[in-house]
Structure formats: C-alpha cells, structure tokens
Amino acid sequence: MRACDTTIRRELMAGLIGFITIVYIVAVNASILEDAGIPLAAGILATVLTSFIGAILMAFWANAPIILVPGMGINALFTYTLCQSMGLSWQEALAAVFVSGLIFTVIAFTRVAQHISNAIPASLKEAITVGIGLFLTFIGLQKGGLIVTNPATFVALGDLSSPPVIVTIVSLIITLILFVRNVPGNFLIGMAVGTGLGLWLGVVEPGEGGSFSLAEYGQVFAGLSFSGMWELPFWIATFSLAMVIVFENIGLIHGHTAMIGQPQKFRRALQANALSTAISGVMGTSPTVATVETAAGIAAGGRTGLTALVTGTLFLISLGLLPLVKMIPDGAIAPVLIIIGALMLQNVQNINLKDFTEGFPAFLIIAIIPLSYSIVDGIAFGFVAYPLLKLALGKRREVPALLYVISGLFLLNLVLPMLT
C-alpha cells in the first residue's frame, strides 16, 4: 500500500464511495435489459454478478481501482439496436456480446487496439458518444412519459398531469439539484425519492417487488444462442459492439490510470475489461465498461485493486435488496438516463465543426442515432460519409486505409437489406 501512496482505510472508503455513486446501474441496466426481453429479476442478478466478477478481474489482474459494470449507452445498443432494430433475440444478442468480448480480448492482448484507435478520426469517436447521449435522453423521456408517440407528428409531449409523469418530473428536479451540488449518491437518492413518490401516487403498489427466483435467472445464465451467427446481421452487431466497446474503454481506462498517476496499469486494466466483456455475455447482460464514476473512488484516494474489490463485494451484498429494486418505477429511472445523456453531449465541443468534412459526418451520427432508434445505423451513415467527403476534396491521404475497410463494412450493412 505504501508503494501506491495509499492506506487500507483509504481504499475501503474509496470502494464505498465508488459503490454509492454507481449502484444505480443495478436498477437502470435491468430496466433496459427488460425491454430486450430479459426478465427484470434476471437482469438485476446478471448486472450484480457481472459487476462483481469485473471487480475481481480488475483487482487481481490489474490491481487498479477501476469499476467495471454494464455500461450506459452500450446497454441501449444491446436492447434498442441489436434486439429491437436488427431483430436479434436477446439470446443471439448475448452471443454477439460474447464474441465481441473475445475480439476485444484479442485486441487488448496485442497491439491491434492502438491501430484501430488511430484509424478512427477523433470527430467520429466524439460523435458516437454525443449520439448515444441523445439516444439515452430520448429513451429516458419516453420511459418517464414526457415524450409519447403521436400519429401526426411521430412524437409529442406527454400528459404532464398524469401520476407517472409527475413522478418523472419531481424525480428529475430533485436528482438535478443533488447532482449539481455534488451530493454523494445523488442518482440513488433521486431514485429512492421517485419510488416513494410513486408509492404515494399509486404508480407503484407496496410489495410489488415480490420475491426473487433463481430459476428465472437460470433461463438467462449461459442462455446465449449462436443460431444466427451465419447471417450478416449477427456479425454487423458483433462488429458494432466490439468497435464501440474498444473505443470507449480505451479512452476511459487511459483517463483513469493517468488520474492515479500509474499509466503502467493501462494495459492490464484494458485486458481485465476485455475478459469481463466476454463474461458479460455468459452472465446474461450487455457488455461492461470502465465507468466514469470510477473517478469518484479515485478522488477519495483509491489507488489499488482493493478499491474495486470493495465495490464489487458491496454489489454482491446488495442482492438482499432485490425486492426493493424491482419496485423502482420508470419515472424514477428516467432522470438518470436524461442526465447521463446531457453529460455525454458535452463531447460535441471536441468536434471540429468548422471543417465540414469533419463536422458533417459527425452531425449525421449525432442526428441519426436517436432519430432512427439505431446506434449502428447512425454510425454507419457517418462512417460512410467521412471518406466520401474527403475523397471529394482530394484529401484521400487523410483517410487511413483501415478506415476504408471499416466504412465499406458499414456500407454493406446499409445496402444489403435493400437487395434482399
């Protein structure tokens, strides 16, 4: 501990703070997985167990205070793109998670990660984050009833006087106040208040959480199906997952290891993350990521794997609260999605919008992801447009050779469905 400039007490406190800031993911991730067809209780257990395993890997393989949990944005890609837009069953989507995790593992244990990262323009990387952020916000607004379908205009404002929407609005206001004041556990407190309000307004009934059955999770654990792996949509899904996972985690882990002043831990932390991603598919959830909330634990003094281990253990202990978690209404979950979406939107300032060959492909990604309800389609349009605009201006040398290959694969994804 002395070599890492920390103490056991500091690591324990950092692990506790990290847990408080990220425990909201149990309810939020399970709610999104439920939209893919995975039973809520099974999604809760899958989230908890996967987070615990990720903590074990990060603690003993990388000795880093980085928290691994099923990631926001990636879970939306899993549910709303792979399952709802591309037509994969949740079992096939879990298989895509597993295979993308294996690809990530190969990349993490070789130099391929750097080559892929260098081939993708920064403007497209940032646009993916922004587009997913808007998508999460849109999903949150829908879950909370603030935005509803409309036959004339596609979408419209919901009934602000209905109890579910009142829960959403009040929860959002309270969570925002807690968040801007940096109150520890702001998301968790906001969800607790929203659940209490839901009980008072009759949106949730007491005891609605019910009991928890391991048999239900038994249908999800190792429930991945490779029946669609001989079809193009499966591989488009796998490739898209792998690409987003690799880009997101390289950036996050690089930032976290720099924050603790131990950049030498980057490679092993990335490897632990990759292994955790593959395991996610077996456990029954969307892929894990190195969370932004890790910064809270690091700020509290976390420097070693003990921080991650404490957080993971607390996730395991939280299984005793599963009946309460199942009672949380959508209106209490929606504010978390909306606020996280707003945070991801900040990356737009890193895009060079003055250069139209950079800005327009990024704009396509940002606009099409939420409007098409498909992260893959949004990325595809941006990646196809980028080399086309560069070629049109005679700037072909600004496009790495590998990017032409990636763009070609996305073009096939857009064209082939029209030919069949």
Side-chain angles (χ1 to χ4, degrees):
M1 290 294 176
R2 184 176 299 176
C4 296
D5 189 28
T6 188
T7 64
I8 292 178
R9 180 179 179 181
R10 191 180 300 167
E11 294 290 309
L12 293 174
M13 183 58 65
L16 173 61
I17 291 175
F19 172 76
I20 291 173
T21 61
I22 195 59
V23 66
Y24 71 85
I25 197 66
V26 177
V28 177
N29 189 61
S31 175
I32 292 177
L33 293 178
E34 186 179 26
D35 290 343
I38 295 176
L40 180 64
I44 292 172
L45 189 52
T47 302
V48 168
L49 294 179
T50 302
S51 301
F52 176 70
I53 293 172
I56 295 293
L57 289 170
M58 193 58 72
F60 293 102
W61 180 253
N63 191 27
I66 298 174
I67 303 170
L68 297 177
V69 300
M72 296 300 300
I74 303 294
N75 50 14
L77 173 60
F78 177 92
T79 293
Y80 304 109
T81 298
L82 270 60
C83 294
Q84 294 189 5
S85 296
M86 300 182 69
L88 273 64
S89 66
W90 62 262
Q91 294 91 340
E92 291 171 333
L94 288 177
V97 171
F98 176 72
V99 176
S100 67
L102 294 181
I103 294 172
F104 186 14
T105 301
V106 171
I107 291 173
F109 280 83
T110 63
R111 297 181 181 273
V112 178
Q114 193 62 44
H115 293 303
I116 293 178
S117 182
N118 291 340
I120 308 301
S123 60
L124 299 187
K125 295 177 186 176
E126 301 291 357
I128 293 171
T129 300
V130 176
I132 292 175
L134 287 176
F135 191 30
L136 284 177
T137 298
F138 189 34
I139 293 169
L141 292 171
Q142 288 180 306
K143 275 185 171 291
L146 284 169
I147 295 295
V148 296
T149 58
N150 184 288
T153 60
F154 293 105
V155 292
L157 191 64
D159 180 5
L160 301 184
S161 64
S162 67
V165 177
I166 291 174
V167 171
T168 300
I169 294 174
V170 174
S171 298
L172 179 58
I173 293 172
I174 292 174
T175 306
L176 275 172
I177 293 173
L178 295 172
F179 181 81
V180 297
R181 295 182 65 86
N182 293 318
V183 175
N186 40 59
F187 287 157
L188 183 61
I189 296 172
M191 286 195 295
V193 172
T195 302
L197 182 60
L199 286 167
W200 183 48
L201 295 177
V203 175
V204 180
E205 295 296 331
E208 194 172 303
S211 59
F212 181 76
S213 171
L214 286 177
E216 193 171 32
Y217 178 61
Q219 300 172 5
V220 175
F221 176 74
L224 57 177
S225 169
F226 294 94
S227 60
M229 70 178 299
W230 304 113
E231 300 175 4
L232 183 62
F234 176 87
W235 290 105
I236 292 294
T238 300
F239 171 75
S240 302
L241 272 174
M243 186 178 67
V244 175
I245 292 165
V246 170
F247 294 156
E248 183 170 355
N249 285 298
I250 285 177
L252 286 167
I253 293 177
H254 181 272
H256 292 326
T257 52
M259 189 176 178
I260 62 176
Q262 300 176 42
Q264 70 275 12
K265 291 185 176 182
F266 170 80
R267 187 175 182 184
R268 278 189 169 253
L270 189 68
Q271 292 168 352
N273 194 171
L275 293 170
S276 175
T277 297
I279 292 172
S280 299
V282 178
M283 301 305 294
T285 182
S286 52
T288 53
V289 302
T291 67
V292 175
E293 288 81 2
T294 290
I298 293 175
R303 294 294 181 271
T304 73
L306 181 56
T307 294
L309 186 61
V310 170
T311 301
T313 302
L314 290 172
F315 265 111
L316 206 58
I317 294 173
S318 72
L319 285 175
L321 301 176
L322 286 183
L324 294 178
V325 174
K326 291 171 66 179
M327 291 176 61
I328 300 175
D330 284 344
I333 292 173
V336 177
L337 298 174
I338 295 169
I339 294 173
I340 290 177
L343 292 173
M344 296 173 75
L345 185 65
Q346 296 175 7
N347 288 55
V348 75
Q349 63 190 331
N350 300 326
I351 302 173
N352 182 13
L353 297 174
K354 293 182 179 180
D355 182 346
F356 202 69
T357 62
E358 298 285 336
F360 186 72
F363 164 74
L364 285 178
I365 292 175
I366 294 170
I368 294 177
I369 284 178
L371 293 178
S372 68
Y373 228 73
S374 171
I375 295 172
V376 173
D377 289 342
I379 293 174
F381 272 89
F383 272 68
V384 171
Y386 188 89
L388 285 178
L389 289 178
K390 292 294 185 182
L391 288 172
L393 289 180
K395 298 181 178 181
R396 61 182 179 84
R397 293 185 179 180
E398 294 185 13
V399 183
L402 182 56
L403 184 58
Y404 284 113
V405 176
I406 295 172
S407 299
L409 290 173
F410 276 119
L411 181 60
L412 283 175
N413 179 50
L414 293 173
V415 172
L416 286 180
M418 296 187 294
L419 301 177
T420 57

